[in-house]
Amino acid sequence: MIHKVIGPVLATVLKLSIVLISLTSSAYAQSQDDIVWIQLEAQSSLRAGTESAQEYAVRLEDVNGFALGGGWYGIAVGPYTREEAENLLRGYRRDRVVPRDAFITTSASLRQQFWPVGTNILDSEAIATPSSDVVEVQEERVAIAEPVAPADETPAEAQRNERQLDREEKRDLQRLLQWAGFYNAAIDGSFGRGTRNAMAAWQEANNHDITGILTTNQRAELLKNFNAILDGLGFEFVRDEAAGIEIMMPTLEVAFDKYESPFAQYKSVGDLEARVLLVSQPGDQNTLFGLYDIMQTLEIVPLDGPRERNSDSFVLIGESATMISETRVSLVDGQVKGFTLLWPAGDEERRRRLVGEMDKSLVRLDAVLDPAAGSNENQAIDLVSGLGIRKPSISRSGFYVDDLGTVVTTADAVASCTRITLDELYEATVISTSEDGVAVLTPKDALAPLNVAAFSAQTPRLNSEIAIAGYSYEGVLDSPSVTYGTLSDLRGLQGEEQLNRLALVVLAGDAGGPVLDSTGSVLGMLLPAPQDGPQLPADVSFSLDRETVQAAMREAGRTARTSNATEQMAAIDISAAARGMTVLVSCWN
């Protein structure tokens, strides 16, 4: 009786068990099918499969290589949900970045992973998603199976963490690799072959396993090396409430000094002779452009170096043998703000890092520097906001000899110059220097002089009145002076026929200026005072005669004007004619 009862019960239990097992298996298989891959192609050798995977990784993410069995090696991207994979495959086919016969496959069709090297993403992903019940059991099982966490990530973990980086973080990583000297391609945030090769080369150089995927610790190590260059500078935020600027500064090298609108000046307190200026003033585009022009006249901005001005910002880099200054200023909401960093030459890598970090860290506060700040201090004609104006090494006079702005001057004024300017505004170059000491200059851009020299066609009379125009005080005054005297002799003291001796008192800045007769015609060019020989009286000077100056012009391919004027001009008219043709010639080094 008992046997008869147990029999049907056992049969029922067995039937129910088979049904449950069947349902569980079906649910498990279905969840497994939800984890899919896009298989791109298959290769018949491991080497060909590896090369193919590397090529796809240049333009696609999540590329992996798996053995397929039978001596075939497949390239697949994933893992994804089926819906994600279908959408992605449609996009890839539309953009023609994968073969037309690429298809969706499941993890069951893939075997051991061979690329990236050391990765086993297939197993770990399969465990993570079958169903909620299975996940709990598997997670518990994994937790028990890992008594100690690894010192660094596995390649699979590194790849998963890498996927969490956004595009800008990926660009930053490429910049770090570029800085380290391992990457020289585009900073695009796409981890293709070039980036992977750079990562692998960095890993090899730093004694890490070569996988082509940086772990979190390795990325941190790379960043630490990058930042080590700023160690010892006290690089930290400085908040200047008066200037309305918060910015990172090397606080062990610079400290606040004073305000001189529009600058908050931070002086050197370390061994590097570094300085920082914070720029802060209210204004508009005209203010910005004016500051751009003014700063190029300052000693702290050497002549050489790139300059760039846009509608709302500018960058000025000045380079000398001992110092480099970089200024970055922009106009935002009616406020002109920025900074200048002065740093010793020869420390370029650290300087570039400092400028970049300062530029990124600059925060604009509500305040702006008071335009009257420091206005009663350090006032001088050669100072702007307490900063020295750059001065030429020498300034002399010259005069225009044609309508294109060609200038003649004394050769002493333009010897060994880095840069030559006319009236400190227009750059010029030397096209010829004669043995007699005449330099012929041409402006880089054509000019339109107020007056052009016309050389006298008449032989000058001894003891006749003459006038000399020149920048006697080497540019301190904005316009040339005119000095009157007499023509003492048509030769030099030792009978030099190309010289005229003059009786009048001149200064060093007058050299190179025109000598005019009473008709306003040019008789020659004033020479510098003799440096050798006996000390001459103060009222003895010399000029090159007109024939010598005209010959120097012909050698330079320029034609001189001549004048047959015989009627005397009033002194006021001679002065006006002389000033109109005279120009300040400055030599910069």
Side-chain angles (χ1 to χ4, degrees):
M1 182 69 180
I2 294 174
H3 176 72
K4 290 181 179 180
V5 172
I6 292 176
V9 171
L10 285 174
T12 302
V13 171
L14 287 173
K15 289 179 181 178
L16 288 174
S17 300
I18 292 170
V19 170
L20 288 173
I21 291 171
S22 176
L23 290 173
T24 303
S25 299
S26 175
Y28 182 84
Q30 183 178 1
S31 61
Q32 280 285 71
D33 288 344
D34 287 340
I35 305 170
V36 298
W37 308 75
I38 300 174
Q39 184 169 323
L40 307 178
E41 65 179 36
Q43 297 289 339
S44 58
S45 71
L46 178 59
R47 180 173 182 177
T50 301
E51 291 176 352
S52 180
Q54 291 172 341
E55 289 175 1
Y56 276 111
V58 172
R59 56 185 186 274
L60 301 178
E61 294 187 354
D62 306 324
V63 175
N64 298 275
F66 300 96
L68 302 177
W72 288 90
Y73 299 86
I75 314 305
V77 293
Y80 309 116
T81 65
R82 183 170 292 275
E83 182 180 359
E84 290 173 338
E86 289 172 348
N87 291 334
L88 190 60
L89 181 56
R90 281 195 295 269
Y92 280 167
R93 284 174 174 167
R94 182 189 63 242
D95 297 335
R96 299 182 179 179
V97 295
V98 300
R100 295 296 299 176
D101 58 352
F103 61 94
I104 294 175
T105 187
T106 64
S107 299
S109 63
L110 306 177
R111 299 187 181 182
Q112 184 176 357
Q113 187 165 1
F114 66 86
W115 196 89
V117 178
T119 307
N120 189 19
I121 194 172
L122 182 65
D123 291 342
S124 60
E125 291 294 325
I127 291 171
T129 55
S131 69
S132 58
D133 292 337
V134 176
V135 168
E136 289 181 7
V137 174
Q138 295 290 359
E139 285 180 349
E140 182 180 358
R141 193 175 298 163
V142 170
I144 294 171
E146 290 186 345
V148 180
D152 202 354
E153 298 163 346
T154 66
E157 291 169 335
Q159 191 175 50
R160 285 199 298 272
N161 288 331
E162 183 182 82
R163 289 186 190 134
Q164 304 304 313
L165 302 177
D166 60 29
R167 182 54 65 92
E168 189 55 38
E169 288 172 327
K170 290 182 177 180
R171 290 193 185 101
D172 287 340
L173 186 54
Q174 287 175 325
R175 294 186 184 101
L176 292 176
L177 290 166
Q178 184 182 64
W179 167 83
F182 295 94
Y183 183 69
N184 58 5
I187 305 297
D188 55 9
S190 178
F191 287 179
R193 177 186 296 178
T195 306
R196 293 299 178 197
N197 289 342
M199 290 180 181
W202 182 88
Q203 288 172 326
E204 182 177 16
N206 289 273
N207 300 316
H208 296 295
D209 291 339
I210 303 171
T211 64
I213 304 171
L214 298 188
T215 67
T216 302
N217 288 345
Q218 289 168 4
R219 295 198 302 270
E221 179 183 341
L222 181 58
L223 180 62
K224 181 180 179 181
N225 294 341
F226 178 71
N227 288 328
I229 196 171
L230 302 180
D231 290 348
L233 297 178
F235 199 57
E236 59 186 51
F237 268 107
V238 172
R239 186 180 181 92
D240 194 312
E241 297 285 358
I245 291 176
E246 186 176 71
I247 191 172
M248 296 283 283
M249 277 196 209
T251 58
L252 294 181
E253 295 296 333
V254 299
F256 176 75
D257 182 21
K258 60 184 177 181
Y259 294 114
E260 286 282 354
S261 180
F263 304 115
Q265 300 188 25
Y266 288 72
K267 64 182 179 180
S268 174
V269 293
D271 298 329
L272 296 177
E273 297 298 323
R275 294 170 64 188
V276 170
L277 305 178
L278 299 184
V279 180
S280 176
Q281 65 179 141
D284 54 16
Q285 188 181 73
N286 291 330
T287 310
L288 179 75
F289 288 2
L291 180 64
Y292 175 79
D293 293 333
I294 289 172
M295 291 206 67
Q296 294 185 75
T297 70
L298 301 180
E299 291 178 338
I300 63 169
V301 183
L303 287 170
D304 294 333
R307 286 104 209 270
E308 179 182 355
R309 190 190 73 180
N310 299 316
S311 60
D312 58 358
S313 64
F314 68 79
V315 175
L316 281 175
I317 300 178
E319 303 173 350
S320 71
T322 59
M323 176 190 70
I324 298 178
S325 77
E326 183 161 347
T327 302
R328 293 175 176 262
V329 176
S330 59
L331 170 64
V332 178
D333 296 332
Q335 295 183 347
V336 177
K337 290 185 177 181
F339 68 92
T340 297
L341 173 68
L342 287 84
W343 201 257
D347 192 15
E348 186 60 9
E349 184 176 356
R350 186 157 57 165
R351 186 197 70 82
R352 284 199 304 266
R353 283 292 314 283
L354 276 170
V355 169
E357 296 299 325
M358 291 176 69
D359 193 35
K360 288 192 298 185
S361 70
L362 190 146
V363 177
R364 292 168 173 263
L365 308 178
D366 291 337
V368 68
L369 191 60
D370 184 353
S375 60
N376 295 321
E377 299 181 19
N378 299 323
Q379 298 188 68
I381 194 171
D382 57 352
L383 294 178
V384 172
S385 300
L387 300 173
I389 298 175
R390 189 189 310 105
K391 296 179 182 179
S393 56
I394 185 173
S395 288
R396 295 293 182 260
S397 302
F399 56 99
Y400 292 110
V401 293
D402 65 22
D403 292 328
L404 297 178
T406 302
V407 171
V408 297
T409 186
T410 172
D412 293 352
V414 293
S416 303
C417 303
T418 302
R419 177 171 170 255
I420 300 169
T421 60
L422 306 177
D423 288 339
E424 295 189 353
L425 295 175
Y426 312 105
E427 292 197 18
T429 57
V430 178
I431 59 174
S432 177
T433 302
S434 73
E435 294 181 356
D436 296 304
V438 179
V440 181
L441 316 179
T442 183
K444 289 189 175 180
D445 299 308
L447 302 177
L450 292 175
N451 192 20
V452 173
F455 291 88
S456 175
Q458 310 296 326
T459 301
R461 292 182 294 107
L462 290 179
N463 298 318
S464 60
E465 291 188 354
I466 58 168
I468 292 176
Y471 285 84
S472 307
Y473 300 97
E474 303 182 40
V476 173
L477 299 179
D478 292 335
S479 60
S481 306
V482 178
T483 305
Y484 292 91
T486 58
L487 177 62
S488 299
D489 199 343
L490 298 180
R491 292 191 178 96
L493 293 176
Q494 296 180 343
E496 299 92 340
E497 294 186 355
Q498 78 276 19
L499 299 182
N500 291 335
R501 180 161 58 89
L502 314 175
L504 77 173
V505 177
V506 294
L507 298 178
D510 292 316
V515 180
L516 292 80
D517 64 14
S518 59
T519 69
S521 302
V522 174
L523 297 177
M525 180 189 76
L526 183 69
L527 289 173
Q531 299 299 314
D532 301 325
Q535 186 71 33
L536 299 176
D539 63 348
V540 175
S541 299
F542 298 92
S543 67
L544 283 173
D545 63 19
R546 64 190 189 282
E547 291 89 352
T548 304
V549 177
Q550 289 172 313
M553 290 178 58
R554 286 193 296 271
E555 291 176 8
R558 299 295 191 270
T559 301
R561 291 185 182 182
T562 58
S563 171
N564 293 307
T566 58
E567 185 176 347
Q568 293 189 357
M569 296 175 61
I572 189 171
D573 295 328
I574 292 176
S575 294
R579 290 192 176 100
M581 70 177 71
T582 305
V583 61
L584 178 67
V585 178
S586 299
C587 173
W588 304 82
N589 289 305

